[in-house]
Amino acid sequence: MRDAREAEVRRPVRQAVDRALGPAAAPGPAAAPAARPIPAAPAAGPRRVAIGADHGGYALKEILRRAIVEETGWEVFDCGTHSAEAVDYPDFAAAVAREVASGRCALGVVVDAAGIGSAMAANKVPGVRCAVCHDDATVLNSREHNDANILSLGARVVHRGAATRMVKLFLGTAFAGGRHERRVQKIMALEQRGR
């Protein structure tokens, strides 16, 4: 009985993933990479994504950067870091956040070891809604319900294959609007009241 309930809860997520990435994105050992490009940019602005990482996320950032260019057709603006030498994650998260908040990039991706610190730093930049995500369901929710404009990933939390799929899903999922619009406006209004 529990398995049937869990399958019922997961069905809408699987359907949304299939819509965004195509059926080839189904998880499991038989999964093949998505053969078709991701749809046009869901956010207003250029079809450009800012990406940045600290030393803990550098290797995953490089994998994601290549995948974005080769598999989605989006242009990448790389905010660094450019090596595995120790650096401070707030610097790179803020650089990505400024690119997104300015409109020079439609969306952003930040990577550190856990994804938490970079999300905290990015969310300090007005206009940014950065979400730490760990799976397809949280990515879909962040875009469809919260209109997240930056995805934060933990290189020690999310496997590179899952991370690549999640970034493609993030780029290919549009904000649902409707009842969620009012809620996102309330989130953004907190920036004004908090000063």
Side-chain angles (χ1 to χ4, degrees):
M1 188 65 144
R2 180 179 173 184
D3 290 340
R5 282 195 310 257
E6 287 178 3
E8 190 63 31
V9 168
R10 290 185 179 140
R11 184 172 294 122
V13 171
R14 182 77 259 146
Q15 291 168 343
V17 170
D18 288 345
R19 278 193 309 274
L21 298 179
R36 64 181 198 192
I38 296 300
R47 197 168 148 84
R48 183 180 312 123
V49 57
I51 189 167
D54 70 354
H55 56 286
Y58 168 71
L60 181 56
K61 176 188 72 100
E62 291 300 295
I63 291 167
L64 296 174
R65 183 179 56 77
R66 283 190 299 274
I68 291 168
V69 170
E70 294 170 6
E71 300 175 31
T72 71
W74 281 63
E75 179 186 342
V76 173
F77 183 82
D78 191 339
C79 296
T81 191
H82 301 291
S83 76
E85 185 178 331
V87 293
D88 298 328
Y89 61 82
D91 299 334
F92 301 94
V96 169
R98 285 195 283 280
E99 289 299 316
V100 173
S102 72
R104 291 186 295 267
C105 292
L107 297 172
V109 177
V110 292
V111 188
D112 64 27
I116 298 167
S118 289
M120 289 179 173
N123 279 321
K124 297 296 182 185
V125 175
V128 167
R129 291 174 304 282
C130 181
V132 181
C133 296
H134 302 107
D135 55 27
D136 294 343
T138 53
V139 170
L140 284 168
N141 191 283
S142 77
R143 286 292 302 134
E144 290 180 342
H145 295 196
N146 311 121
D147 198 17
N149 51 16
I150 299 181
L151 170 64
S152 185
L153 297 172
R156 294 184 188 159
V157 178
V158 180
H159 183 272
R160 66 183 180 203
T164 301
R165 186 180 70 246
M166 289 164 60
V167 166
K168 290 192 270 184
L169 187 59
F170 187 77
L171 297 178
T173 302
F175 177 48
R179 70 185 189 277
H180 305 295
E181 182 69 39
R182 180 182 78 254
R183 296 162 186 164
V184 171
Q185 287 175 359
K186 286 185 175 185
I187 292 171
M188 300 315 293
L190 293 172
E191 286 183 353
Q192 305 306 317
R193 286 195 293 253
R195 294 180 188 269

